[in-house]
Amino acid sequence: MKLVGIDVGKNSHHFCVMDKETGKFNVTPTSFSNNKEGFDFLINSLKPYSKKSILIGMEDTGHYHVALLKFLLSNGYTVALINPKTTDLTRKMEGGITKNDKLDTITICDVLDTPERKKQYRITKVDRFDLYEQRQLTRHHHNLKEELNVYCNRLQKSIDLVFPEFNTLFSSKYSIVYMNLLKTFGSAEAIASTDIRTIRKCFEIKGRGNRISLTPEKLKECAKNSIGISSEVETIQIKHLVSQITLIKEQIAEIDKKIEEFSITNNSPILSIPGISHFSGTSILAELGDIGNYSKPSQIIKFAGVAPYHYESSQYNAQHTGITKKGSKYLRKTLYQIILTVINNNPVFQKYYRLKISQGKGHRCAQGHCIRKLLRIIYHLLETGQSFDPALLR
């Protein structure tokens, strides 16, 4: 078996080839360019060895490795991805005080040389490379949602300054009329000084749907009596924030449509679990990757970072510990977002949640127990291909 360690960079990469049995290097650390000529050079260097006898390892970090990974997979090589923390810890355990690209290729080979039982890498398959795109898309959705929350909070702050009574006039925020008024006027002062016909135009909505009870006349009267301050700067911010919020919502809608297409193509059995939508199901699958990389449910629980810490020393055994929060933060976020819906839509989860509460667990702790139960179910469904059946739960 030949182990190939590749240290990935922006403009160039380094690789070495080590014999697993002897530990000797067939190819000492060598650099190659991050382009077609460099990739071809790497392939030519590996031609003396059969593809079945080669295991290539690289760190799963950033995005610089993606093009090389896809190139190697499409050429029929077996590639293992390694957490950068693993190579860093390996180097420190070996007493290394120097870090450079050439030595990193050797460290990666050392990680690949671990026994099967303790392997600290995961094999990537070409037919599951589409999960990379799905992961990028679902993470983009998460990031846009966070941006949206930031802009919405900033908008509310500005509204409180220039027209604090504005929100009390609407039963719900961010409706069409709500956003039209803010984008057109931006403050109580502007509304109060505008003729009623111009205000009425913001209330004109095409299509069906319920109309709000607020009238233009009532809005103008409220604006005249508002205690809001006069601020041209805040008014400009409100108009800009409304445009940004509208744009982000359109982008999220576009992303959700593509995620739904991916989800229908995946046709995963986890969608049969009540409470898991196209987005959450795709996010879970993309973050987990190939289920074949996990041999038991506890491994995906660990990867999600929802496993509780276990601390024991001599006669002391910690009874109350938090979750590790290691692994994929996006997977963990998705799980916590959906777990209440899963609990509310499944009697078995409801019973399990109430059991943990009756045992003195807090709400958040009980949620964690339910998430671990959900992950065990997800693992079983993905391994067997079965659909969710609450009658089989206990």
Side-chain angles (χ1 to χ4, degrees), residues 98-151:
T98 303
K99 183 191 184 304
N100 58 50
D101 296 339
K102 292 183 178 181
L103 290 178
D104 283 348
T105 64
I106 299 174
T107 305
I108 290 172
C109 285
D110 291 338
V111 175
L112 296 177
D113 198 23
T114 53
E116 179 68 20
R117 185 176 63 86
K118 296 183 178 181
K119 72 174 185 178
Q120 302 180 57
Y121 56 84
R122 64 185 190 278
I123 303 297
T124 302
K125 298 179 181 178
V126 66
D127 60 341
R128 301 310 293 161
F129 194 82
D130 60 319
L131 290 176
Y132 169 80
E133 291 187 325
Q134 296 180 36
R135 183 168 68 246
Q136 294 302 109
L137 200 59
T138 52
R139 288 184 176 185
H140 186 40
H141 173 102
H142 278 301
N143 294 334
L144 285 178
K145 280 284 190 179
E146 290 181 2
E147 286 184 33
L148 182 62
N149 288 336
V150 171
Y151 287 135

Side-chain angles (χ1 to χ4, degrees), residues 84-268:
K85 291 182 178 180
T86 301
T87 53
D88 185 51
L89 288 173
T90 302
R91 182 178 61 256
K92 291 178 180 179
M93 288 174 62
E94 293 174 347
I97 59 174
T98 303
K99 183 191 184 304
N100 58 50
D101 296 339
K102 292 183 178 181
L103 290 178
D104 283 348
T105 64
I106 299 174
T107 305
I108 290 172
C109 285
D110 291 338
V111 175
L112 296 177
D113 198 23
T114 53
E116 179 68 20
R117 185 176 63 86
K118 296 183 178 181
K119 72 174 185 178
Q120 302 180 57
Y121 56 84
R122 64 185 190 278
I123 303 297
T124 302
K125 298 179 181 178
V126 66
D127 60 341
R128 301 310 293 161
F129 194 82
D130 60 319
L131 290 176
Y132 169 80
E133 291 187 325
Q134 296 180 36
R135 183 168 68 246
Q136 294 302 109
L137 200 59
T138 52
R139 288 184 176 185
H140 186 40
H141 173 102
H142 278 301
N143 294 334
L144 285 178
K145 280 284 190 179
E146 290 181 2
E147 286 184 33
L148 182 62
N149 288 336
V150 171
Y151 287 135
C152 286
N153 289 336
R154 288 173 57 187
L155 176 63
Q156 293 306 315
K157 167 254 180 183
S158 296
I159 291 174
D160 288 342
L161 289 174
V162 299
F163 198 172
E165 303 87 359
F166 187 73
N167 285 327
T168 62
L169 301 174
F170 296 85
S171 58
S172 62
K173 301 175 184 177
Y174 310 113
S175 64
I176 296 176
V177 175
Y178 183 99
M179 299 297 274
N180 283 346
L181 290 168
L182 291 176
K183 188 175 182 179
T184 304
F185 304 108
S187 67
E189 182 183 38
I191 294 174
S193 61
T194 302
D195 66 276
I196 198 68
R197 287 175 297 181
T198 304
I199 299 175
R200 286 197 183 106
K201 291 180 180 179
C202 294
F203 283 76
E204 295 174 358
I205 304 175
K206 297 180 180 179
R208 300 178 180 179
N210 296 327
R211 297 299 188 264
I212 61 174
S213 58
L214 177 66
T215 62
E217 292 76 14
K218 183 179 178 181
L219 174 66
K220 185 168 183 177
E221 183 65 26
C222 185
K224 288 181 178 179
N225 298 319
S226 174
I227 61 171
I229 66 173
S230 175
S231 174
E232 186 177 351
V233 172
E234 293 295 341
T235 302
I236 292 174
Q237 284 193 58
I238 285 175
K239 292 181 179 180
H240 288 181
L241 288 169
V242 168
S243 297
Q244 288 172 314
I245 289 170
T246 303
L247 175 62
I248 291 176
K249 285 185 175 181
E250 291 173 355
Q251 291 173 338
I252 291 175
E254 180 183 1
I255 289 172
D256 286 345
K257 185 178 179 180
K258 185 62 180 178
I259 288 174
E260 184 174 351
E261 292 177 8
F262 276 128
S263 180
I264 293 172
T265 303
N266 291 336
N267 193 26
S268 174

Side-chain angles (χ1 to χ4, degrees), residues 377-390:
I377 293 171
I378 288 173
Y379 178 83
H380 176 76
L381 297 185
L382 294 177
E383 275 286 288
T384 61
Q386 293 178 330
S387 295
F388 177 74
D389 184 359

